């Protein structure tokens, strides 16, 4: 299990990560979302002991990364597409990593095949495309058959097949009990992959919830109701505090409502209803809402950085 | 499968992993790792081959000119192993660059991240690299001195006559010097993280300072020049006793290594990767 406790990181005057506290559970894919510059990579780097936290801690199974007995057998991480010396052969890169953690060298060919690079092991990494390098990075992460996978923007550089493949891989690993912690700035990536969502903006935790909850609690969820008595119904709904908008000659869109609430009001008034349906927000909308506040500050953030 | 079961099985699984794996990545495993990385890149082999060719070429040239001068009546006697040692002036640059590149290329390629993920104990990772680089420098030094002597001896004829003791002094001195220099340059590479910066520093340390310091009309600066690594190596590899002997020469080289590599490790442990 991964635990962040009051984790913080400053780069000069930039607060990249700000008092982040959360735990990431096994058996699930946890999506780590936030706009560019939100602090996702920094958080993952601290978890892997590459950057030291300014405050707080990030632990894996209760200890810091450097204290792990066999790091590559416990945690597999993909941080950047750049992995391995350009002049080194792909299989030799993995063999070196295997030797460092006493992982049987037969794993090298196994993971190369698992990521679809089975017949490219003898090629120099410098000749690889971005997508192939990404796959090689994932092969390195899988080398020690770790129980925890940490992927930073893993779909970068992958084609459509690659994206579908890595989604399937993450789902399968989580189903087998692994902890999968994966970052993205694209909400659409997460919708069909993650069970849990962690959303950050400007280094701060904005939401940590199950995917279902985030979707259900979004203010963008709305109810479409159609009735021959649309005027009366609209008045009653507004009186009850809902925001309504006409969405057709005889239909209304009621924001942040549920079919039960709208149906109940219509029933009290004895109004006939022809249609009553829930319009679920897409994750994209939910995400935009969540990060809207933190995005307000982005322009100043950009000025600070440049 | 209930949530609790998932947690339990993961804890169990972790326990078996820990049991089977023993200690954290050991120093030996880290050295194995570093040796694999170093040897796997073609540029290592190309650099070493270039150094060898440059070295035997220069050794032969020194021997040839010693014979030519001698035949013309000039005093040009020098034991062949010492000609080979003098030729290290050129080959050492290749070795210094290789040592610095072994870490600066990790920064430019981003391999430093995967290396630290594999061996997160930083002093262990860099210590293992220093050991591999140092051993490589030492062994390669032996090879260079030996090969240079082999070519210089016949070319110099009796102007390069030598005994076993002179060969041993040059072999050990050259090997020790190159091993120490490699570790120093690794330290500089860690400190600067830039290939260009590290190679510039190598030039300054190897060629610049030994030339510049004696130009000053200040006694202690001139004396300091004797204690530069290059001069200590020269003294060690040619069995000189002035201004100091082999013991002091070894100490001087060890001290330079401790300071440069030591500060490299100190910074490496504290700096964000
Ligand atoms: N090494 C660094 N030095 C200075 N600022 C940094 C450094 N790394 C990240 N930052 C800053 O920290 C913030 C978070 O960056 P990052 O973690 O890369 O975000 P994300 O991965 O979510 O896009 C950004 O403002 C970024 O500019
Ligand atoms: Mg990032």
């Amino acid at each position: 299990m991964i635990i962040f406790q009051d984790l913080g990181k400053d780069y000069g005057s930039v607060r990249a990560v700000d008092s982040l506290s959360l735990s990431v559970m096994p058996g699930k894919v946890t999506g780590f979302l936030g706009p560019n510059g939100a602090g996702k990579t920094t958080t993952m780097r601290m978890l892997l002991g590459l950057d030291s936290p300014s405050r707080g801690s990030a632990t894996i199974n209760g200890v810091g990364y450097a204290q792990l007995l066999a790091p590559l057998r416990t945690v597999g991480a993909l941080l950047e597409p750049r992995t391995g010396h350009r002049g080194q052969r792909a299989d030799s890169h993995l063999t070196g990593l295997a030797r460092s953690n006493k992982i049987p060298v037969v794993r090298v060919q196994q993971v190369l095949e698992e990521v679809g690079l089975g017949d490219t092991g003898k090629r120099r990494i410098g000749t690889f495309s971005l997508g192939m390098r990404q796959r090689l990075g994932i092969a390195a992460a899988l080398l020690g058959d770790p129980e925890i996978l940490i992927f930073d923007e893993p779909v970068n550089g992958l084609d459509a097949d690659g994206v579908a493949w890595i989604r399937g891989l993450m789902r399968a690993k989580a189903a087998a009990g692994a902890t999968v912690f994966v970052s993205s700035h694209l909400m659409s990536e997460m919708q069909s992959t993650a069970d849990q969502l962690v959303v950050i903006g400007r280094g701060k935790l904005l939401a940590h919830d199950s995917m279902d909850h985030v979707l259900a609690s979004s203010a963008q969820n709305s109810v479409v109701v159609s009735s021959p008595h649309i005027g009366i119904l609209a008045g009653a709904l507004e009186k009850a505090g809902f925001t309504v908008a006409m969405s057709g000659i005889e239909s209304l869109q009621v924001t942040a409502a549920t079919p039960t609430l709208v149906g109940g009001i219509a029933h009290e008034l004895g109004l006939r209803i022809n249609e009553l349906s829930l319009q679920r927000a897409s994750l994209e909308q939910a995400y935009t809402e969540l990060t809207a506040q933190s995005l307000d500050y982005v322009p100043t953030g950009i000025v600070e950085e440049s | 499968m209930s949530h609790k079961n998932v947690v339990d099985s993961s804890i169990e699984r972790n326990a078996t992993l820990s049991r089977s794996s023993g200690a954290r990545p050991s120093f030996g495993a880290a050295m194995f790792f570093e040796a694999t990385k170093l040897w796997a890149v073609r540029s290592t082999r190309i650099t070493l081959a270039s150094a060898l060719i440059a070295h035997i070429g220069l050794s032969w040239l020194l021997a040839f000119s010693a014979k030519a001068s001698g035949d013309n009546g000039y005093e040009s006697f020098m034991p062949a192993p010492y000609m080979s040692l003098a030729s290290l002036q050129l080959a050492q640059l290749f070795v210094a660059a290789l040592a610095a590149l072994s870490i600066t290329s990790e920064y430019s390629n981003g391999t430093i991240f995967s290396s630290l993920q594999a061996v997160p104990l930083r002093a262990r990772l860099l210590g293992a690299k220093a050991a591999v680089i140092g051993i490589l420098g030492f062994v390669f030094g032996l090879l260079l001195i030996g090969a240079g002597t082999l070519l210089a001896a016949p070319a110099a004829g009796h102007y390069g006559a030598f005994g076993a003791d002179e060969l041993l002094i040059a072999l050990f001195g050259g090997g020790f010097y190159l091993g120490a220099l490699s570790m120093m340059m690794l330290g500089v590479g860690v400190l600067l993280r830039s290939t260009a910066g590290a190679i510039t520093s190598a030039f300054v340390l190897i060629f610049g300072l030994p030339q510049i310091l004696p130009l000053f009309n200040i006694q202690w600066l001139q004396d300091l020049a004797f204690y530069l690594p290059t001069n200590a190596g020269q003294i060690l590899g040619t069995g000189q006793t002035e201004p100091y002997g082999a013991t002091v020469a070894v100490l001087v080289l060890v001290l330079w290594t401790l300071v440069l590599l030591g500060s490299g490790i100190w910074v490496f442990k504290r700096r964000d990767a």
Side-chain angles (χ1 to χ4, degrees):
Chain A
M1 188 165 68
I2 299 169
I3 297 178
F4 300 111
Q5 252 170 342
D6 200 30
L7 186 68
K9 178 75 179 177
D10 299 337
Y11 290 111
S13 62
V14 178
R15 185 149 286 192
V17 178
D18 196 359
S19 30
L20 193 63
S21 292
L22 67 108
S23 25
V24 182
M25 290 295 172
K28 294 194 161 81
V29 176
T30 301
F32 189 31
L33 279 158
N36 285 323
K40 304 179 296 293
T41 300
T42 305
T43 302
M44 289 179 159
R45 287 173 58 85
M46 287 191 282
L47 182 59
L48 296 170
L50 296 173
D51 288 0
S52 57
S54 307
R55 293 166 301 279
S57 66
T59 56
I60 292 162
N61 297 334
V63 296
Y65 186 86
Q67 265 62 55
L68 289 173
L69 291 178
L72 296 184
R73 292 174 179 221
T74 313
V75 181
L78 170 80
L79 270 198
E80 299 196 40
R82 301 181 304 164
T83 182
H85 192 291
R86 295 180 58 80
Q88 192 173 2
R89 276 169 26 183
D91 56 358
S92 133
H93 170 61
L94 296 177
T95 303
L97 292 175
R99 282 176 176 162
S100 70
N101 278 237
K102 302 219 165 77
I103 295 165
V105 175
V106 292
R107 283 288 295 158
V108 169
Q109 191 56 32
Q110 282 174 11
V111 292
L112 280 172
E113 268 154 29
E114 196 172 346
V115 303
L117 294 177
D119 48 4
T120 55
K122 306 265 177 268
R123 276 176 56 182
R124 291 182 192 283
I125 296 169
T127 68
F128 278 20
S129 69
L130 182 61
M132 291 170 80
R133 291 188 124 197
Q134 195 76 330
R135 285 172 186 263
L136 180 62
I138 292 164
L142 298 177
L143 193 61
D145 192 19
E147 76 206 77
I148 296 173
L149 289 171
I150 297 169
F151 291 160
D152 192 13
E153 311 258 1
V155 305
N156 280 357
L158 291 181
D159 53 19
D161 280 354
V163 172
W165 165 72
I166 194 160
R167 242 182 229 167
L169 176 85
M170 291 191 289
R171 298 282 348 145
K173 294 288 173 188
T179 308
V180 181
F181 189 47
V182 52
S183 81
S184 176
H185 64 281
L186 290 174
M187 185 47 95
S188 49
E189 285 313 324
M190 288 295 133
Q191 192 143 15
S192 48
T193 315
D195 310 293
Q196 289 282 317
L197 278 185
V198 174
V199 183
I200 63 168
R202 299 272 292 161
K204 279 202 165 74
L205 185 65
L206 298 178
H208 179 200
D209 215 336
S210 71
M211 179 71 88
D212 297 341
H213 260 112
V214 172
L215 286 175
S217 65
S218 170
Q220 294 294 332
N221 284 339
S222 61
V223 170
V224 171
V225 56
S226 61
S227 162
H229 317 286
I230 205 74
I232 306 169
L233 186 57
L237 285 166
E238 280 183 335
K239 219 168 134 191
F242 291 106
T243 310
V244 301
M246 292 298 289
S247 64
I249 302 169
E250 288 197 340
S251 70
L252 282 177
Q253 180 154 19
V254 192
T255 310
T258 65
T260 318
L261 286 169
V262 176
I265 289 169
H267 179 72
E268 274 169 28
L269 298 171
L271 299 175
R272 175 196 172 88
I273 285 191
N274 294 329
E275 188 206 335
L276 184 61
S277 66
L278 176 68
Q279 303 250 301
R280 281 186 157 271
S282 76
L283 200 49
E284 205 70 56
Q285 284 169 321
Y287 175 59
T288 311
E289 259 172 54
L290 273 169
T291 54
Q293 207 182 345
S294 76
L295 279 171
D296 283 343
Y297 296 95
V298 163
T300 42
I302 289 166
V303 171
E304 271 170 28
E305 280 159 30
S306 57
Chain B
M1 193 191 270
S2 80
H3 181 77
K4 181 156 184 308
N5 278 340
V6 173
V7 174
D8 285 349
S9 70
S10 137
I11 288 168
E12 260 169 42
R13 193 169 163 210
N14 190 40
T16 51
L17 273 169
S18 309
R19 270 201 303 276
S20 62
S21 58
R24 280 181 258 174
S26 66
F27 193 80
M31 274 181 71
F32 206 2
F33 176 40
E34 290 298 335
T36 307
K37 275 190 288 183
L38 190 66
W39 199 244
V41 283
R42 196 167 33 181
S43 63
T44 302
R45 301 189 291 260
I46 293 174
T47 308
L48 291 178
S50 312
L52 182 62
I53 291 166
H55 182 79
I56 55 182
L58 187 57
S59 301
W60 182 84
L61 211 64
L62 285 184
F64 178 82
S65 76
K67 182 162 188 328
S69 308
D71 288 344
N72 284 322
Y74 295 99
E75 174 62 60
S76 70
F77 176 80
M78 184 192 250
Y82 293 174
M83 293 178 185
S84 182
L85 188 102
S87 304
L88 279 187
Q89 281 285 9
L90 190 56
Q92 65 181 335
L93 276 177
F94 292 84
V95 177
L98 183 69
L101 263 164
S102 76
I103 186 71
T104 57
S105 75
E106 289 222 23
Y107 281 105
S108 57
N109 280 306
T111 34
I112 189 69
F113 302 140
S114 53
S115 298
L116 280 170
Q117 278 167 45
V119 185
L121 296 174
R122 299 198 173 185
R124 187 165 298 184
L125 182 71
L126 202 55
K129 196 187 273 288
V132 167
I133 280 287
I135 291 170
L136 177 71
F138 179 78
V139 172
F140 191 62
L142 297 183
L143 176 75
L144 287 184
I145 299 293
T149 305
L150 216 60
L151 253 86
H158 64 273
Y159 299 105
F162 64 94
D165 53 341
E166 282 152 339
L167 179 62
L168 284 176
I169 286 171
L171 279 172
F172 171 78
F176 191 88
Y177 171 68
L178 273 195
L181 181 71
S182 301
M183 292 199 267
M184 289 174 214
M185 291 318 299
L186 175 65
V188 173
V190 179
L191 289 171
L192 299 181
R193 283 188 279 189
S194 127
T195 305
I199 289 178
T200 308
S201 309
F203 264 94
V204 170
L205 190 65
I206 292 170
F207 291 136
L209 291 179
Q211 302 286 324
I212 292 163
L213 290 185
L215 299 180
F216 287 94
N217 217 351
I218 303 167
Q219 191 58 43
W220 69 268
L221 277 180
Q222 293 185 356
D223 290 346
L224 193 64
F226 291 128
Y227 295 93
L228 289 170
T230 322
N231 290 333
Q234 178 72 24
I235 288 165
L236 188 62
T238 54
Q240 281 169 257
T241 50
E242 285 301 321
Y244 52 80
T247 315
V248 177
V250 167
L251 282 178
V252 168
L253 289 172
V254 167
L255 205 65
W256 273 99
T257 306
L258 283 180
V259 169
L260 289 177
L261 181 60
S263 46
I265 292 177
W266 192 85
V267 167
F268 190 60
K269 282 182 73 162
R270 278 154 190 83
R271 190 172 59 192
D272 285 346

